[in-house]
């Protein structure tokens, strides 16, 4: 399509360099919620900028542009270049694939003359002016012990498994410059850490809905998710960026799960991996629930892992379950056979015929099966060795009518099968003690 004459003249006047500058001028293209506020509500400088947004709302682009502005010393982000920056995500793969190399990541948003060099072996970006951004994983909080920074970008904080420990270690390292500060970009979940940040007077908050970024999203995606999740509790969290509190009729609550948190599990005498297979592997089908748990010598129960995933073919979810079985050095795989019967056992056997499989069949509804397990939590017998955000979301949204979204609680089902086998099922001989 031909450009309007005025636009053509303008582009001719500013030239290629000017056009490139125009395209990379974030202040021109950003929404107000994607630019940092000047001060906190108290009028003092802020120390934390918390960007709460729905999926695809432009949070990553805002975070990358903030870091770019800091590293280059551009107003309104910084008065001078900020030389030491931390990039923290749930895993190092997330740092690399989302924050650095992603379509809205740091490499993509810089024009050629400003683009930093990514040094994967050192896990850092180096700008031509000498500024450095170093990547860290929330799986390893101790890696933040020692380094020091002027600023930090924390991505998807609400789903970090070791969120509090990682956040705490980072705060000790934010000690350079006149005003150390951090930006947090996340889809919200009602965690204790997020609540504390929202209550901190030094925190400023920006909010963004998925629909606000519609220009950059596939129309079919936006129409599909709005039709399926619009108005639901899950949609309000994942699309509207709201912090959704517990259902009053849910079997679990956030405070109870926070009280059940532990950094690592003690030595365990029995470990199982539970699998709740999906009825189909087609797009949009239920997920395959895969949860690992163990029991200690005193009868304490410990949730160790949630490897649930959607869209997996039978061979894929079987391989995923067996991989977790091996990593945890588990004693058995507990598999629900309502969907597929002997096929479930056969698929697992094709991956590793030597893995003991305990077949279980649901004869009661999900809520009735879950009630005795929820009672174990109330008795203080269950602990979560880390944070399992997606699993805990299901637990706190599960009431007599199921999940508010109407979807199957696949992660919850796998958890229920695992803890039922360990604490409520037939007693098995106690094997050797092992540590994690």
């Amino acid at each position: 399509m031909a450009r309007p004459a005025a636009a053509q003249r303008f582009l001719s006047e500013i030239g290629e360099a000017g056009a490139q500058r125009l395209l990379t001028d974030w202040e021109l293209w950003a929404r107000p919620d994607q630019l940092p506020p000047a001060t906190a509500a108290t009028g003092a400088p802020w120390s934390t900028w918390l960007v709460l947004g729905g999926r695809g709302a432009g949070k990553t682009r805002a975070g990358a542009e903030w870091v770019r502005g800091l590293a280059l010393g551009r107003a309104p982000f910084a008065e001078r270049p900020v030389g030491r920056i931390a990039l923290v995500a749930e895993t190092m793969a997330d740092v690399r694939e989302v924050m650095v190399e992603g379509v809205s990541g740091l490499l993509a948003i810089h024009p050629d003359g400003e683009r930093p060099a990514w040094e994967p072996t050192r896990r850092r970006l180096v700008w031509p002016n000498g500024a450095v951004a170093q990547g860290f994983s929330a799986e390893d909080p101790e890696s933040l012990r020692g380094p020091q920074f002027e600023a930090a970008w924390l991505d998807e904080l609400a789903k970090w498994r070791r969120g509090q420990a990682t956040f705490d270690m980072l705060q000790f390292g934010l000690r350079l410059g006149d005003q150390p500060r951090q930006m947090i970009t996340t889809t919200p979940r009602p965690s204790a850490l997020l609540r504390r940040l929202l209550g901190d007077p030094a925190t400023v908050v920006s909010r963004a809905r998925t629909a606000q970024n519609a220009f950059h999203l596939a129309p079919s995606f936006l129409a599909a998710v709005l039709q399926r999740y619009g108005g639901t509790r899950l949609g309000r969290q994942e699309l509207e960026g709201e912090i959704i509190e517990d259902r009053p009729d849910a079997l679990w609550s956030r405070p109870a799960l926070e009280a059940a948190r532990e950094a690592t599990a003690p030595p365990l005498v029995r470990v199982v991996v539970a699998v709740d297979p999906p009825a189909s592997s087609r797009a949009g089908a239920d997920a395959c629930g895969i949860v690992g748990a163990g029991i200690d010598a005193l009868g304490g129960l410990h949730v160790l892992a949630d490897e649930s995933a959607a869209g997996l073919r039978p061979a894929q979810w079987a391989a995923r379950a067996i991989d977790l079985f091996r990593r945890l050095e588990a004693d058995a795989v507990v598999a629900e056979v309502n969907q597929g019967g002997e096929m479930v056992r056969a698929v697992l056997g094709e991956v590793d015929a030597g893995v003991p499989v305990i077949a279980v069949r649901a004869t009661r509804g999900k809520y009735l099966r879950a009630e005795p397990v929820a009672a174990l939590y109330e008795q203080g017998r269950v602990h979560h060795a880390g944070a399992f955000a997606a699993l805990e979301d299901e637990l706190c949204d599960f009431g007599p009518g199921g999940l508010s979204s109407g979807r199957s609680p696949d992660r919850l089902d796998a958890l229920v099968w695992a803890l039922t086998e360990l604490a409520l099922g037939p007693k098995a001989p106690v094997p050797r003690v092992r540590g994690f």
Side-chain angles (χ1 to χ4, degrees):
M1 184 175 69
R3 296 189 183 98
Q8 187 66 55
R9 286 197 304 272
F10 173 73
L11 291 173
S12 299
E13 290 171 2
I14 65 174
E16 185 176 344
Q20 180 69 17
R21 174 74 183 186
L22 188 65
L23 286 172
T24 57
D25 187 344
W26 181 236
E27 285 188 84
L28 178 65
W29 301 102
R31 304 189 308 267
D33 59 87
Q34 293 176 307
L35 294 171
T39 62
T42 60
W46 53 266
S47 61
T48 300
W49 178 21
L50 179 58
V51 179
L52 300 176
R55 301 281 190 94
K59 304 184 297 298
T60 301
R61 180 66 185 270
E65 291 285 0
W66 184 70
V67 171
R68 174 188 171 216
L70 295 181
L72 299 177
R74 286 186 172 173
F77 307 100
E79 297 178 357
R80 57 169 181 78
V82 172
R84 301 291 298 179
I85 304 168
L87 306 175
V88 192
E90 183 177 22
T91 67
M92 272 310 303
D94 292 325
V95 172
R96 182 183 67 251
E97 295 170 11
V98 178
M99 303 175 83
V100 176
E101 297 179 347
V103 294
S104 299
L106 283 158
L107 295 181
I109 65 168
H110 283 77
D112 292 342
E114 298 177 350
R115 185 172 293 119
W118 172 236
E119 301 177 357
T121 57
R122 302 187 68 178
R123 301 179 176 181
R124 70 177 195 171
L125 284 166
V126 181
W127 276 262
N129 67 358
V132 175
Q134 189 173 355
F136 296 90
S137 165
E139 294 178 322
D140 184 15
E142 291 299 306
S143 65
L144 285 159
R145 187 184 292 275
Q148 51 186 350
F149 310 99
E150 294 176 70
W153 173 23
L154 297 72
D155 191 44
E156 292 299 350
L157 171 74
K159 73 184 185 76
W160 292 1
R161 183 179 177 188
R162 305 187 67 184
Q164 187 65 62
T166 304
F167 184 83
D168 290 342
M169 284 296 102
L170 176 63
Q171 304 316 296
F172 289 113
L174 280 171
R175 56 179 185 261
L176 296 181
D178 298 328
Q179 182 63 40
R181 48 196 161 155
Q182 59 194 344
M183 179 183 185
I184 301 170
T185 51
T186 189
T187 300
R189 286 188 172 104
S191 67
L193 174 56
L194 207 55
R195 286 194 182 96
R196 283 195 292 273
L197 287 169
L198 286 168
D200 187 340
T203 297
V204 293
V205 182
S206 298
R207 300 178 185 271
R209 296 178 293 108
T210 300
Q212 289 176 250
N213 206 36
F215 181 78
H216 300 285
L217 302 172
S220 58
F221 161 79
L222 192 57
V225 295
L226 288 176
Q227 180 180 9
R228 184 162 196 168
Y229 301 108
T232 68
R233 290 171 61 88
L234 184 62
R236 288 168 57 198
Q237 174 177 283
E238 301 295 320
L239 301 177
E240 304 297 322
E242 295 183 34
I243 295 182
I244 306 301
E245 300 298 336
D246 294 345
R247 286 177 57 174
D249 61 347
L251 281 176
W252 284 266
S253 70
R254 300 282 176 182
L257 293 179
E258 290 295 341
R261 193 89 60 213
E262 62 184 0
T264 57
L268 302 172
V269 297
R270 189 163 186 253
V271 175
V272 299
V273 171
V275 181
D276 179 48
S280 169
S281 59
R282 61 177 173 77
D286 296 334
C288 178
I290 305 173
V291 171
I295 187 169
D296 62 36
L298 299 178
L301 298 159
H302 305 268
V303 181
L304 306 173
D306 173 21
E307 295 292 335
S308 307
L312 302 180
R313 296 188 298 274
Q316 292 174 315
W317 58 250
R320 195 178 183 93
I322 297 300
D323 178 67
L324 181 60
F325 171 88
R326 291 168 179 162
R327 281 191 283 124
L328 297 181
E329 299 181 10
D331 298 287
V333 171
V334 179
E336 181 182 322
V337 297
N338 287 59
Q339 302 287 355
E342 286 303 310
M343 181 275 290
V344 173
R345 190 191 294 271
V347 170
L348 291 166
E350 288 175 3
V351 178
D352 188 339
V355 171
V357 177
I358 300 172
V360 292
R361 186 177 295 276
T363 58
R364 297 183 298 162
K366 296 178 186 294
Y367 190 85
L368 291 176
R369 295 202 309 273
E371 280 185 309
V373 172
L376 295 174
Y377 279 81
E378 293 177 6
Q379 295 163 7
R381 289 186 57 189
V382 185
H383 308 276
H384 284 200
F388 307 102
L391 169 62
E392 291 168 11
D393 283 350
E394 283 195 359
L395 295 179
C396 295
D397 186 37
F398 185 74
L403 298 179
S404 60
S405 65
R407 296 184 65 83
S408 175
D410 309 293
R411 298 170 191 270
L412 181 150
D413 277 345
L415 171 81
V416 167
W417 286 123
L419 298 185
T420 297
E421 172 62 28
L422 291 168
L424 303 173
K427 298 299 184 288
V430 177
R432 68 187 187 282
V433 175
R434 88 266 332 270
F436 286 86

